[in-house]
């Protein structure tokens, strides 16, 4: 099993999956998403001998800085924004419904699709350098990989609304206070060690009980209509002049001037 954008290491039943596009701050492009899909949906789907996955990002600056803006501008211009969101939902559900726990180790930026990816994991361990946020409004779009649904689930409607409407990021301490992350550790090694410790503890429990716990916890939150509404709204925002301006501003490294069209 070989991957272009993922590194996979396995020790004592714990698999560390590292997203490896550090020059683009591990932004999620279509190829990386395909590989994540293959990992959770095919390659490791039937691996009942493992008891957990640690998902992290390479390079020390970011977990994931979002969907790859330069690439998805093209997807949106072809009118496929809504389909792109649906596809992301499908892949992130594979993670959320995986038969063993997936722990995100977040060091640096977890923004947009990166925050959404961390939220699709079962547990989140942050370093003190971690930053979480849904900055899509800065581009004239909305979260499209489940952020409007899962941020509510973790931190409640009021604070989720504030973060999504302002686009303001929060640091690890605040993310911990709000319940978005389970633990904050000083650095990457310590965070990885904490994730390993949690997965080792979970690995001593009955595997069927763990799998069924995940299934039952997820059942409380399944809201297909919410996700479909998000995909539609995301698709609509990708068709606007505002998104063209927001994406151009990002690429040109300047502030966007939105006209509401
Ligand atoms: C593509 C990205 C990127 C992204 C960073 N890069 N984020 N490329 N997509 N999401 C690239 C930059 O273009 C740059 O490439 C390199 O990574 C380093 O980034 P810099 O901006 O130079 O670094 P810095 O000044 O330290 O700022 C870091 C940052 C900033 C604050 C994280 O990069 C940023 O704001 N990124 C975008 C965050 C974002 O808006 N995420 C949400 C995306 S929308 P070059 O070639 O210039 O060196 C989304 C929607 C999901 O996720 C739903 C889809 C359905």
């Amino acid at each position: 099993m070989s991957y272009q954008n993922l590194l996979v290491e396995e020790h004592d039943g714990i698999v560390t999956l590292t997203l490896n596009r550090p020059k683009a701050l591990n932004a999620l492009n279509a190829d990386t998403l395909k590989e994540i899909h293959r990992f959770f949906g095919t390659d490791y789907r039937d691996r009942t001998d493992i008891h957990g996955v640690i998902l992290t990002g390479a390079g020390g600056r970011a977990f994931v800085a979002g969907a790859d803006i330069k690439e998805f501008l093209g997807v949106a211009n072809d009118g496929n924004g809504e389909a792109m969101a649906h596809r992301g939902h499908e892949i992130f559900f594979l993670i959320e419904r995986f038969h063993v726990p997936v722990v995100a180790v977040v060091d640096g930026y977890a923004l947009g699709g990166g925050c959404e990816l961390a939220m699709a994991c079962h547990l989140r361990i942050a370093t003190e350098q971690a930053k979480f946020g849904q900055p899509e409004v800065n581009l004239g779009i909305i979260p499209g990989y489940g952020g409007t649904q899962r941020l509510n689930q973790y931190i409640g409607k009021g604070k989720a609304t504030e973060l999504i409407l302002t686009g303001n990021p929060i640091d690890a301490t605040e993310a911990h206070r709000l319940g978005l992350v389970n633990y904050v550790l000083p650095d990457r090694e310590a965070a990885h060690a904490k994730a390993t410790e949690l997965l080792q503890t979970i690995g001593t429990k009955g595997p069927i009980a763990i799998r069924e716990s995940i299934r039952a916890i997820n059942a409380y939150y399944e809201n297909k209509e919410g996700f479909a509404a998000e995909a539609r709204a995301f698709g609509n925002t990708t068709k606007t002049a505002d998104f063209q301006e927001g994406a151009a501003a990002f690429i040109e490294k300047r502030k966007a001037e939105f006209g509401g069209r």
Side-chain angles (χ1 to χ4, degrees), residues 72-88 145 231 234-236 238-239:
F72 86 74
L73 183 58
V75 174
N77 289 346
D78 290 341
N80 295 325
E82 182 173 347
M84 174 186 165
H86 278 299
R87 167 128 183 85
Y145 285 156
F234 175 83
N236 290 340
T238 60
K239 291 178 188 154

Side-chain angles (χ1 to χ4, degrees), residues 21-29 33 61-62 64-72 81-89 92 109-116 133-139 141-147 230-231 234-235 238 243 250-251 253:
R21 291 183 75 224
K23 279 195 190 135
L25 303 185
N26 303 318
L28 297 171
N29 62 357
L33 282 169
R61 288 188 62 206
V64 168
D68 190 310
I69 298 166
K70 294 163 195 169
E71 186 188 78
F72 86 74
E82 182 173 347
M84 174 186 165
H86 278 299
R87 167 128 183 85
H89 289 165
F92 286 20
Y109 296 110
L111 299 177
C115 186
E116 292 168 306
Q134 296 292 158
E136 284 87 347
V137 287
N138 297 328
L139 297 166
I141 53 172
I142 72 158
Y145 285 156
E230 178 186 88
F234 175 83
T238 60
F243 173 54
F250 173 75
I251 291 164
K253 300 187 190 276

Side-chain angles (χ1 to χ4, degrees), residues 37-182:
H37 190 185
R38 177 150 69 81
F39 178 93
F40 288 101
T42 310
D43 295 349
Y44 282 75
R45 197 191 66 174
D46 299 323
R47 285 288 304 274
T48 48
D49 57 319
I50 57 171
H51 49 258
V53 176
I54 296 173
L55 181 58
T56 192
R61 288 188 62 206
F63 172 70
V64 168
D68 190 310
I69 298 166
K70 294 163 195 169
E71 186 188 78
F72 86 74
L73 183 58
V75 174
N77 289 346
D78 290 341
N80 295 325
E82 182 173 347
M84 174 186 165
H86 278 299
R87 167 128 183 85
H89 289 165
E90 189 193 321
I91 296 168
F92 286 20
F93 276 129
L94 286 176
I95 300 174
E96 192 169 54
R97 295 171 184 163
F98 203 54
H99 62 285
V100 290
V102 182
V103 184
V105 166
V106 178
D107 186 25
Y109 296 110
L111 299 177
C115 186
E116 292 168 306
L117 179 63
M119 291 193 291
C121 297
H122 302 102
L123 301 167
R124 279 147 299 284
I125 317 282
T127 70
E128 285 168 1
Q129 296 72 46
K131 287 217 163 22
F132 295 83
Q134 296 292 158
E136 284 87 347
V137 287
N138 297 328
L139 297 166
I141 53 172
I142 72 158
Y145 285 156
T148 62
Q149 306 302 298
R150 292 194 181 96
L151 198 57
N152 285 339
Q153 295 169 11
Y154 288 115
I155 70 174
K157 185 179 176 186
K159 204 66 194 175
T161 302
E162 179 190 330
L163 296 190
I164 291 168
L165 299 191
T166 63
N168 288 340
I170 53 172
D171 65 16
T173 309
E174 178 71 348
H176 186 240
R177 193 184 69 77
L178 291 171
L180 182 59
V181 305
N182 298 77

